[in-house]
Amino acid sequence: MRYVRPLVQVGSTRPDDALPLAGGWGWFTHIEILSRRHTSRVASVSELTSAESAALTAPRGQIADMTFDVPRLMGIVNVTPDSFSDGGENAAPEMACQTALQMIGQGADILDIGGESTRPGAQTVAADDEIARVAPAIAGIRAKTTHPISIDTRKAAVADAALDAGASLVNDVAGFTFDAGLAPLCAKRNVPVCVMHAQGDPATMQKDPHYENVLLDVYDFLAERIETLTRQGLSRGQIIVDPGIGFGKNMTHNLALLEKIGLFHSLGTPILLGASRKRFIGTLGGASEPQGRDAGSIGVALAALGQGVQIVRAHDVAGHAQAIALWRAGMAHN
């Protein structure tokens, strides 16, 4: 099997033979062809098959009221007592609502509400406890705004309650492998989903992550998940993929994924990057505390946007929005 990564470029100086990337701001004239058996090589876009070309160039459809012709920001609102970055800050529904509305004002396109910490070493939370955390927060936010809301959960019961409260997208860090009832629920309720790769669960995922080839292994997992979800009744056009930075991956794995994250465009879906304040940013950037990693998080996000990644999940919405605005302005005048 071969894998195709577009060598994405951005800017207004676009050659006549360049192909558009996914209906967004990127374009490409060459591709990298990867294989498990052979050394990768660079080739012209003329070597693309019709199916490969379609997957890379077709505009991504609207999901949860978002188009993907411009970068989108997902603001993180954790209603947990123990999340690695902001545990306890938004545990009260009123505080969660206040934070969410502030993020919207700062430029968030979608809000991601989570009631179970997925930090390394975190234990599973009972569904009833998770519902008690997220449902009031989502209902409070929905009463104040029509902005899209994502529920960050692995459990069907939690997703069901969150959707009843006003959520509009289900974001599963377990890639719909934890609860067999979650995918059928999403299909029944006709809601878009984000499917993420993780090796192991939060309690054990960082003990000894290993891969044959992390880039291709993650790609194959996501490709299989997309096919499984569509067989279960979800529309391919309503699926977002997330390579799962930091979920069962060491620093080498994270950097390998970030270097060639554009490969995931070949799946034909929008890509979400969730690297905000992760440990590897602190290690490389010399910031031991998560709150000190925002500058590094922004740097990682801008590099991903340069490869055409459509959605950035962030704690610091204001900082990311400002950086993206400047990045887009510079790109337009390139």
Side-chain angles (χ1 to χ4, degrees):
M1 175 177 174
R2 79 175 197 167
Y3 305 79
V4 176
R5 180 175 73 96
L7 301 183
V8 184
Q9 299 186 62
V10 297
S12 57
T13 308
R14 180 182 301 195
D16 292 339
D17 60 345
L19 296 181
L21 179 68
W25 54 93
W27 48 270
F28 60 106
T29 58
H30 289 77
I31 55 175
E32 181 185 17
I33 300 174
L34 302 98
S35 167
R36 291 184 181 274
R37 295 184 178 182
H38 306 289
T39 303
S40 67
R41 66 183 180 89
V42 173
S44 165
V45 292
S46 62
E47 290 197 31
L48 287 170
T49 67
S50 58
E52 291 167 343
S53 180
L56 291 172
T57 62
R60 304 307 183 230
Q62 183 171 301
I63 296 178
D65 294 330
M66 294 184 295
T67 59
F68 299 103
D69 52 334
V70 295
R72 297 300 179 182
L73 264 177
M74 174 183 275
I76 302 168
V77 184
N78 289 316
V79 292
T80 55
D82 57 345
S83 289
F84 81 99
S85 174
D86 52 2
E89 291 182 7
N90 298 299
E94 298 80 9
M95 289 303 299
C97 186
Q98 181 177 325
T99 296
L101 294 176
Q102 182 181 45
M103 286 182 171
I104 291 172
Q106 293 169 340
D109 297 289
I110 182 170
L111 304 163
D112 194 40
I113 315 300
E116 178 182 56
S117 175
T118 52
R119 76 187 193 286
Q123 301 299 310
T124 300
V125 174
D128 287 346
D129 293 338
E130 194 175 341
I131 291 170
R133 294 174 181 178
V134 301
I138 292 172
I141 296 167
R142 177 54 70 225
K144 299 287 187 180
T145 180
T146 59
H147 246 57
I149 299 172
S150 165
I151 173 61
D152 180 355
T153 188
R154 303 179 290 170
K155 306 180 188 76
V158 177
D160 201 27
L163 292 170
D164 286 344
S168 39
L169 181 146
V170 175
N171 178 18
D172 182 5
V173 300
F176 293 82
T177 64
F178 181 83
D179 185 339
L182 183 54
L185 170 74
C186 293
K188 180 180 179 181
R189 301 202 59 165
N190 193 30
V191 294
V193 302
C194 180
V195 55
M196 194 194 83
H197 173 275
Q199 187 178 95
D201 59 30
T204 62
M205 64 186 183
Q206 291 306 108
K207 290 187 176 179
D208 184 28
H210 58 279
Y211 299 87
E212 177 183 325
N213 180 314
V214 65
L215 183 68
L216 304 187
D217 290 355
V218 171
Y219 183 96
D220 286 348
F221 171 87
L222 292 173
E224 184 278 327
R225 289 283 81 205
I226 291 171
E227 294 306 315
T228 297
L229 291 173
T230 55
R231 286 197 300 271
Q232 291 178 304
L234 284 113
S235 166
R236 189 185 191 95
Q238 292 291 293
I239 297 174
I240 298 166
V241 297
D242 178 351
I245 300 298
F247 282 79
K249 297 157 184 92
N250 60 30
M251 185 185 297
T252 300
H253 299 144
N254 289 330
L255 295 177
L257 288 168
L258 289 170
E259 179 190 5
K260 299 190 177 185
I261 195 169
L263 171 69
F264 299 101
H265 290 298
S266 287
L267 293 169
T269 67
I271 305 168
L272 183 148
L273 172 71
S276 179
R277 295 183 179 175
K278 293 289 174 69
R279 184 187 299 272
F280 81 98
I281 293 175
T283 300
L284 291 173
S288 59
E289 296 301 317
Q291 291 79 1
R293 301 171 189 167
D294 288 334
S297 300
I298 290 170
V300 171
L302 294 181
L305 294 182
Q307 292 195 55
V309 167
Q310 290 94 346
I311 310 170
V312 172
R313 186 175 182 270
H315 295 87
D316 173 24
V317 170
H320 279 74
Q322 183 183 79
I324 291 170
L326 271 292
W327 179 82
R328 290 184 64 196
M331 177 180 65
H333 287 84
N334 185 354

PDB file of all heavy atoms in Angstrom, residues 186-214:
ATOM      1  N   CYS A 186     -24.521   8.153  17.633  1.00  0.00           N
ATOM      2  CA  CYS A 186     -24.228   9.320  16.792  1.00  0.00           C
ATOM      3  C   CYS A 186     -24.891   9.188  15.426  1.00  0.00           C
ATOM      4  O   CYS A 186     -25.391  10.174  14.868  1.00  0.00           O
ATOM      5  CB  CYS A 186     -22.717   9.500  16.642  1.00  0.00           C
ATOM      6  SG  CYS A 186     -21.879   9.943  18.192  1.00  0.00           S
ATOM      7  N   ALA A 187     -24.908   7.962  14.901  1.00  0.00           N
ATOM      8  CA  ALA A 187     -25.585   7.738  13.615  1.00  0.00           C
ATOM      9  C   ALA A 187     -27.082   7.965  13.753  1.00  0.00           C
ATOM     10  O   ALA A 187     -27.704   8.612  12.899  1.00  0.00           O
ATOM     11  CB  ALA A 187     -25.301   6.325  13.124  1.00  0.00           C
ATOM     12  N   LYS A 188     -27.666   7.446  14.828  1.00  0.00           N
ATOM     13  CA  LYS A 188     -29.102   7.595  15.050  1.00  0.00           C
ATOM     14  C   LYS A 188     -29.492   9.059  15.199  1.00  0.00           C
ATOM     15  O   LYS A 188     -30.522   9.494  14.672  1.00  0.00           O
ATOM     16  CB  LYS A 188     -29.506   6.811  16.294  1.00  0.00           C
ATOM     17  CG  LYS A 188     -30.983   6.903  16.631  1.00  0.00           C
ATOM     18  CD  LYS A 188     -31.307   6.105  17.884  1.00  0.00           C
ATOM     19  CE  LYS A 188     -32.786   6.219  18.251  1.00  0.00           C
ATOM     20  NZ  LYS A 188     -33.103   5.451  19.489  1.00  0.00           N
ATOM     21  N   ARG A 189     -28.644   9.810  15.885  1.00  0.00           N
ATOM     22  CA  ARG A 189     -28.963  11.214  16.144  1.00  0.00           C
ATOM     23  C   ARG A 189     -28.416  12.138  15.047  1.00  0.00           C
ATOM     24  O   ARG A 189     -28.589  13.353  15.116  1.00  0.00           O
ATOM     25  CB  ARG A 189     -28.446  11.617  17.520  1.00  0.00           C
ATOM     26  CG  ARG A 189     -29.061  10.763  18.633  1.00  0.00           C
ATOM     27  CD  ARG A 189     -29.017  11.413  19.979  1.00  0.00           C
ATOM     28  NE  ARG A 189     -29.712  12.697  20.017  1.00  0.00           N
ATOM     29  CZ  ARG A 189     -30.058  13.323  21.130  1.00  0.00           C
ATOM     30  NH1 ARG A 189     -29.807  12.754  22.303  1.00  0.00           N
ATOM     31  NH2 ARG A 189     -30.655  14.494  21.100  1.00  0.00           N
ATOM     32  N   ASN A 190     -27.747  11.539  14.071  1.00  0.00           N
ATOM     33  CA  ASN A 190     -27.284  12.276  12.890  1.00  0.00           C
ATOM     34  C   ASN A 190     -26.414  13.468  13.275  1.00  0.00           C
ATOM     35  O   ASN A 190     -26.641  14.598  12.830  1.00  0.00           O
ATOM     36  CB  ASN A 190     -28.473  12.735  12.052  1.00  0.00           C
ATOM     37  CG  ASN A 190     -28.053  13.222  10.670  1.00  0.00           C
ATOM     38  OD1 ASN A 190     -27.062  12.747  10.109  1.00  0.00           O
ATOM     39  ND2 ASN A 190     -28.790  14.169  10.115  1.00  0.00           N
ATOM     40  N   VAL A 191     -25.390  13.217  14.099  1.00  0.00           N
ATOM     41  CA  VAL A 191     -24.485  14.282  14.527  1.00  0.00           C
ATOM     42  C   VAL A 191     -23.076  14.009  14.009  1.00  0.00           C
ATOM     43  O   VAL A 191     -22.667  12.861  13.858  1.00  0.00           O
ATOM     44  CB  VAL A 191     -24.448  14.428  16.060  1.00  0.00           C
ATOM     45  CG1 VAL A 191     -25.796  14.904  16.578  1.00  0.00           C
ATOM     46  CG2 VAL A 191     -24.035  13.126  16.738  1.00  0.00           C
ATOM     47  N   PRO A 192     -22.318  15.046  13.709  1.00  0.00           N
ATOM     48  CA  PRO A 192     -20.935  14.868  13.272  1.00  0.00           C
ATOM     49  C   PRO A 192     -20.061  14.393  14.424  1.00  0.00           C
ATOM     50  O   PRO A 192     -20.409  14.548  15.607  1.00  0.00           O
ATOM     51  CB  PRO A 192     -20.527  16.257  12.799  1.00  0.00           C
ATOM     52  CG  PRO A 192     -21.435  17.189  13.532  1.00  0.00           C
ATOM     53  CD  PRO A 192     -22.716  16.461  13.727  1.00  0.00           C
ATOM     54  N   VAL A 193     -18.903  13.832  14.066  1.00  0.00           N
ATOM     55  CA  VAL A 193     -18.016  13.275  15.081  1.00  0.00           C
ATOM     56  C   VAL A 193     -16.567  13.627  14.758  1.00  0.00           C
ATOM     57  O   VAL A 193     -16.209  13.900  13.610  1.00  0.00           O
ATOM     58  CB  VAL A 193     -18.146  11.732  15.177  1.00  0.00           C
ATOM     59  CG1 VAL A 193     -19.580  11.330  15.492  1.00  0.00           C
ATOM     60  CG2 VAL A 193     -17.676  11.055  13.886  1.00  0.00           C
ATOM     61  N   CYS A 194     -15.753  13.601  15.800  1.00  0.00           N
ATOM     62  CA  CYS A 194     -14.298  13.659  15.639  1.00  0.00           C
ATOM     63  C   CYS A 194     -13.732  12.376  16.195  1.00  0.00           C
ATOM     64  O   CYS A 194     -13.987  12.025  17.356  1.00  0.00           O
ATOM     65  CB  CYS A 194     -13.710  14.870  16.375  1.00  0.00           C
ATOM     66  SG  CYS A 194     -11.903  14.984  16.210  1.00  0.00           S
ATOM     67  N   VAL A 195     -12.969  11.666  15.384  1.00  0.00           N
ATOM     68  CA  VAL A 195     -12.381  10.388  15.783  1.00  0.00           C
ATOM     69  C   VAL A 195     -10.883  10.574  15.964  1.00  0.00           C
ATOM     70  O   VAL A 195     -10.189  11.025  15.056  1.00  0.00           O
ATOM     71  CB  VAL A 195     -12.707   9.274  14.755  1.00  0.00           C
ATOM     72  CG1 VAL A 195     -12.291   9.655  13.353  1.00  0.00           C
ATOM     73  CG2 VAL A 195     -12.079   7.961  15.163  1.00  0.00           C
ATOM     74  N   MET A 196     -10.399  10.256  17.157  1.00  0.00           N
ATOM     75  CA  MET A 196      -8.999  10.477  17.494  1.00  0.00           C
ATOM     76  C   MET A 196      -8.266   9.160  17.684  1.00  0.00           C
ATOM     77  O   MET A 196      -8.859   8.164  18.106  1.00  0.00           O
ATOM     78  CB  MET A 196      -8.882  11.316  18.775  1.00  0.00           C
ATOM     79  CG  MET A 196      -7.492  11.883  19.014  1.00  0.00           C
ATOM     80  SD  MET A 196      -7.271  12.524  20.700  1.00  0.00           S
ATOM     81  CE  MET A 196      -6.881  10.982  21.545  1.00  0.00           C
ATOM     82  N   HIS A 197      -6.980   9.167  17.405  1.00  0.00           N
ATOM     83  CA  HIS A 197      -6.149   7.995  17.674  1.00  0.00           C
ATOM     84  C   HIS A 197      -5.542   8.091  19.061  1.00  0.00           C
ATOM     85  O   HIS A 197      -5.046   9.146  19.475  1.00  0.00           O
ATOM     86  CB  HIS A 197      -5.004   7.879  16.666  1.00  0.00           C
ATOM     87  CG  HIS A 197      -4.043   6.773  17.014  1.00  0.00           C
ATOM     88  ND1 HIS A 197      -2.994   6.953  17.903  1.00  0.00           N
ATOM     89  CD2 HIS A 197      -3.999   5.476  16.633  1.00  0.00           C
ATOM     90  CE1 HIS A 197      -2.346   5.815  18.036  1.00  0.00           C
ATOM     91  NE2 HIS A 197      -2.933   4.903  17.272  1.00  0.00           N
ATOM     92  N   ALA A 198      -5.579   6.998  19.788  1.00  0.00           N
ATOM     93  CA  ALA A 198      -4.869   6.882  21.065  1.00  0.00           C
ATOM     94  C   ALA A 198      -4.398   5.444  21.195  1.00  0.00           C
ATOM     95  O   ALA A 198      -5.106   4.511  20.803  1.00  0.00           O
ATOM     96  CB  ALA A 198      -5.767   7.250  22.238  1.00  0.00           C
ATOM     97  N   GLN A 199      -3.201   5.276  21.727  1.00  0.00           N
ATOM     98  CA  GLN A 199      -2.707   3.928  22.015  1.00  0.00           C
ATOM     99  C   GLN A 199      -2.870   3.693  23.507  1.00  0.00           C
ATOM    100  O   GLN A 199      -2.208   4.332  24.329  1.00  0.00           O
ATOM    101  CB  GLN A 199      -1.237   3.778  21.616  1.00  0.00           C
ATOM    102  CG  GLN A 199      -0.737   2.339  21.735  1.00  0.00           C
ATOM    103  CD  GLN A 199       0.717   2.200  21.294  1.00  0.00           C
ATOM    104  OE1 GLN A 199       1.628   2.252  22.113  1.00  0.00           O
ATOM    105  NE2 GLN A 199       0.938   2.014  20.003  1.00  0.00           N
ATOM    106  N   GLY A 200      -3.785   2.789  23.886  1.00  0.00           N
ATOM    107  CA  GLY A 200      -4.075   2.565  25.293  1.00  0.00           C
ATOM    108  C   GLY A 200      -5.060   3.587  25.818  1.00  0.00           C
ATOM    109  O   GLY A 200      -5.558   4.442  25.091  1.00  0.00           O
ATOM    110  N   ASP A 201      -5.373   3.502  27.109  1.00  0.00           N
ATOM    111  CA  ASP A 201      -6.280   4.475  27.724  1.00  0.00           C
ATOM    112  C   ASP A 201      -5.464   5.442  28.574  1.00  0.00           C
ATOM    113  O   ASP A 201      -4.269   5.236  28.795  1.00  0.00           O
ATOM    114  CB  ASP A 201      -7.365   3.775  28.544  1.00  0.00           C
ATOM    115  CG  ASP A 201      -6.803   2.913  29.665  1.00  0.00           C
ATOM    116  OD1 ASP A 201      -5.720   3.242  30.193  1.00  0.00           O
ATOM    117  OD2 ASP A 201      -7.440   1.918  30.024  1.00  0.00           O
ATOM    118  N   PRO A 202      -6.092   6.538  29.028  1.00  0.00           N
ATOM    119  CA  PRO A 202      -5.321   7.546  29.753  1.00  0.00           C
ATOM    120  C   PRO A 202      -4.532   7.011  30.944  1.00  0.00           C
ATOM    121  O   PRO A 202      -3.445   7.510  31.247  1.00  0.00           O
ATOM    122  CB  PRO A 202      -6.409   8.540  30.200  1.00  0.00           C
ATOM    123  CG  PRO A 202      -7.436   8.445  29.133  1.00  0.00           C
ATOM    124  CD  PRO A 202      -7.477   6.990  28.758  1.00  0.00           C
ATOM    125  N   ALA A 203      -5.057   5.992  31.609  1.00  0.00           N
ATOM    126  CA  ALA A 203      -4.380   5.467  32.792  1.00  0.00           C
ATOM    127  C   ALA A 203      -3.027   4.845  32.459  1.00  0.00           C
ATOM    128  O   ALA A 203      -2.114   4.833  33.285  1.00  0.00           O
ATOM    129  CB  ALA A 203      -5.274   4.442  33.497  1.00  0.00           C
ATOM    130  N   THR A 204      -2.878   4.291  31.250  1.00  0.00           N
ATOM    131  CA  THR A 204      -1.659   3.533  30.923  1.00  0.00           C
ATOM    132  C   THR A 204      -0.935   4.004  29.675  1.00  0.00           C
ATOM    133  O   THR A 204       0.163   3.513  29.382  1.00  0.00           O
ATOM    134  CB  THR A 204      -2.025   2.049  30.726  1.00  0.00           C
ATOM    135  OG1 THR A 204      -2.948   1.936  29.618  1.00  0.00           O
ATOM    136  CG2 THR A 204      -2.681   1.467  31.972  1.00  0.00           C
ATOM    137  N   MET A 205      -1.498   4.959  28.927  1.00  0.00           N
ATOM    138  CA  MET A 205      -1.034   5.228  27.563  1.00  0.00           C
ATOM    139  C   MET A 205       0.404   5.714  27.457  1.00  0.00           C
ATOM    140  O   MET A 205       1.036   5.556  26.420  1.00  0.00           O
ATOM    141  CB  MET A 205      -1.973   6.233  26.880  1.00  0.00           C
ATOM    142  CG  MET A 205      -2.005   7.603  27.525  1.00  0.00           C
ATOM    143  SD  MET A 205      -3.266   8.658  26.772  1.00  0.00           S
ATOM    144  CE  MET A 205      -3.001  10.184  27.671  1.00  0.00           C
ATOM    145  N   GLN A 206       0.955   6.313  28.514  1.00  0.00           N
ATOM    146  CA  GLN A 206       2.307   6.851  28.414  1.00  0.00           C
ATOM    147  C   GLN A 206       3.375   5.944  29.024  1.00  0.00           C
ATOM    148  O   GLN A 206       4.532   6.333  29.131  1.00  0.00           O
ATOM    149  CB  GLN A 206       2.369   8.233  29.063  1.00  0.00           C
ATOM    150  CG  GLN A 206       1.593   9.315  28.301  1.00  0.00           C
ATOM    151  CD  GLN A 206       1.990   9.436  26.850  1.00  0.00           C
ATOM    152  OE1 GLN A 206       1.247   9.055  25.961  1.00  0.00           O
ATOM    153  NE2 GLN A 206       3.190   9.938  26.578  1.00  0.00           N
ATOM    154  N   LYS A 207       3.009   4.723  29.414  1.00  0.00           N
ATOM    155  CA  LYS A 207       3.980   3.854  30.083  1.00  0.00           C
ATOM    156  C   LYS A 207       5.049   3.338  29.120  1.00  0.00           C
ATOM    157  O   LYS A 207       6.217   3.308  29.460  1.00  0.00           O
ATOM    158  CB  LYS A 207       3.247   2.697  30.770  1.00  0.00           C
ATOM    159  CG  LYS A 207       2.443   3.166  31.985  1.00  0.00           C
ATOM    160  CD  LYS A 207       1.858   2.007  32.761  1.00  0.00           C
ATOM    161  CE  LYS A 207       1.160   2.517  34.022  1.00  0.00           C
ATOM    162  NZ  LYS A 207       0.551   1.409  34.798  1.00  0.00           N
ATOM    163  N   ASP A 208       4.668   2.910  27.946  1.00  0.00           N
ATOM    164  CA  ASP A 208       5.667   2.443  26.977  1.00  0.00           C
ATOM    165  C   ASP A 208       5.068   2.420  25.577  1.00  0.00           C
ATOM    166  O   ASP A 208       4.901   1.358  24.976  1.00  0.00           O
ATOM    167  CB  ASP A 208       6.169   1.046  27.366  1.00  0.00           C
ATOM    168  CG  ASP A 208       7.283   0.557  26.442  1.00  0.00           C
ATOM    169  OD1 ASP A 208       8.019   1.411  25.888  1.00  0.00           O
ATOM    170  OD2 ASP A 208       7.414  -0.672  26.263  1.00  0.00           O
ATOM    171  N   PRO A 209       4.725   3.588  25.023  1.00  0.00           N
ATOM    172  CA  PRO A 209       4.125   3.598  23.682  1.00  0.00           C
ATOM    173  C   PRO A 209       5.130   3.134  22.633  1.00  0.00           C
ATOM    174  O   PRO A 209       6.305   3.500  22.683  1.00  0.00           O
ATOM    175  CB  PRO A 209       3.727   5.061  23.480  1.00  0.00           C
ATOM    176  CG  PRO A 209       4.638   5.840  24.380  1.00  0.00           C
ATOM    177  CD  PRO A 209       4.891   4.956  25.567  1.00  0.00           C
ATOM    178  N   HIS A 210       4.667   2.325  21.701  1.00  0.00           N
ATOM    179  CA  HIS A 210       5.559   1.851  20.647  1.00  0.00           C
ATOM    180  C   HIS A 210       4.771   1.633  19.360  1.00  0.00           C
ATOM    181  O   HIS A 210       3.585   1.332  19.385  1.00  0.00           O
ATOM    182  CB  HIS A 210       6.245   0.537  21.061  1.00  0.00           C
ATOM    183  CG  HIS A 210       5.280  -0.568  21.392  1.00  0.00           C
ATOM    184  ND1 HIS A 210       4.654  -0.659  22.613  1.00  0.00           N
ATOM    185  CD2 HIS A 210       4.808  -1.601  20.640  1.00  0.00           C
ATOM    186  CE1 HIS A 210       3.851  -1.720  22.618  1.00  0.00           C
ATOM    187  NE2 HIS A 210       3.915  -2.293  21.432  1.00  0.00           N
ATOM    188  N   TYR A 211       5.463   1.818  18.230  1.00  0.00           N
ATOM    189  CA  TYR A 211       4.854   1.699  16.911  1.00  0.00           C
ATOM    190  C   TYR A 211       5.874   1.095  15.947  1.00  0.00           C
ATOM    191  O   TYR A 211       7.087   1.242  16.128  1.00  0.00           O
ATOM    192  CB  TYR A 211       4.440   3.080  16.376  1.00  0.00           C
ATOM    193  CG  TYR A 211       3.415   3.785  17.234  1.00  0.00           C
ATOM    194  CD1 TYR A 211       3.816   4.575  18.321  1.00  0.00           C
ATOM    195  CD2 TYR A 211       2.064   3.665  16.962  1.00  0.00           C
ATOM    196  CE1 TYR A 211       2.880   5.219  19.111  1.00  0.00           C
ATOM    197  CE2 TYR A 211       1.120   4.316  17.748  1.00  0.00           C
ATOM    198  CZ  TYR A 211       1.534   5.087  18.821  1.00  0.00           C
ATOM    199  OH  TYR A 211       0.607   5.711  19.608  1.00  0.00           O
ATOM    200  N   GLU A 212       5.362   0.477  14.897  1.00  0.00           N
ATOM    201  CA  GLU A 212       6.233   0.066  13.799  1.00  0.00           C
ATOM    202  C   GLU A 212       6.635   1.296  12.993  1.00  0.00           C
ATOM    203  O   GLU A 212       7.795   1.497  12.658  1.00  0.00           O
ATOM    204  CB  GLU A 212       5.513  -0.938  12.907  1.00  0.00           C
ATOM    205  CG  GLU A 212       6.323  -1.369  11.692  1.00  0.00           C
ATOM    206  CD  GLU A 212       5.542  -2.309  10.795  1.00  0.00           C
ATOM    207  OE1 GLU A 212       4.748  -3.116  11.315  1.00  0.00           O
ATOM    208  OE2 GLU A 212       5.731  -2.235   9.553  1.00  0.00           O
ATOM    209  N   ASN A 213       5.656   2.134  12.694  1.00  0.00           N
ATOM    210  CA  ASN A 213       5.849   3.409  12.009  1.00  0.00           C
ATOM    211  C   ASN A 213       4.703   4.296  12.475  1.00  0.00           C
ATOM    212  O   ASN A 213       3.561   4.115  12.051  1.00  0.00           O
ATOM    213  CB  ASN A 213       5.814   3.217  10.492  1.00  0.00           C
ATOM    214  CG  ASN A 213       6.006   4.512   9.722  1.00  0.00           C
ATOM    215  OD1 ASN A 213       5.398   5.535  10.028  1.00  0.00           O
ATOM    216  ND2 ASN A 213       6.841   4.469   8.688  1.00  0.00           N
ATOM    217  N   VAL A 214       4.984   5.226  13.379  1.00  0.00           N
ATOM    218  CA  VAL A 214       3.899   5.953  14.034  1.00  0.00           C
ATOM    219  C   VAL A 214       3.013   6.688  13.033  1.00  0.00           C
ATOM    220  O   VAL A 214       1.781   6.687  13.158  1.00  0.00           O
ATOM    221  CB  VAL A 214       4.447   6.920  15.107  1.00  0.00           C
ATOM    222  CG1 VAL A 214       5.297   8.023  14.488  1.00  0.00           C
ATOM    223  CG2 VAL A 214       3.312   7.511  15.936  1.00  0.00           C
TER     224      VAL A 214
END
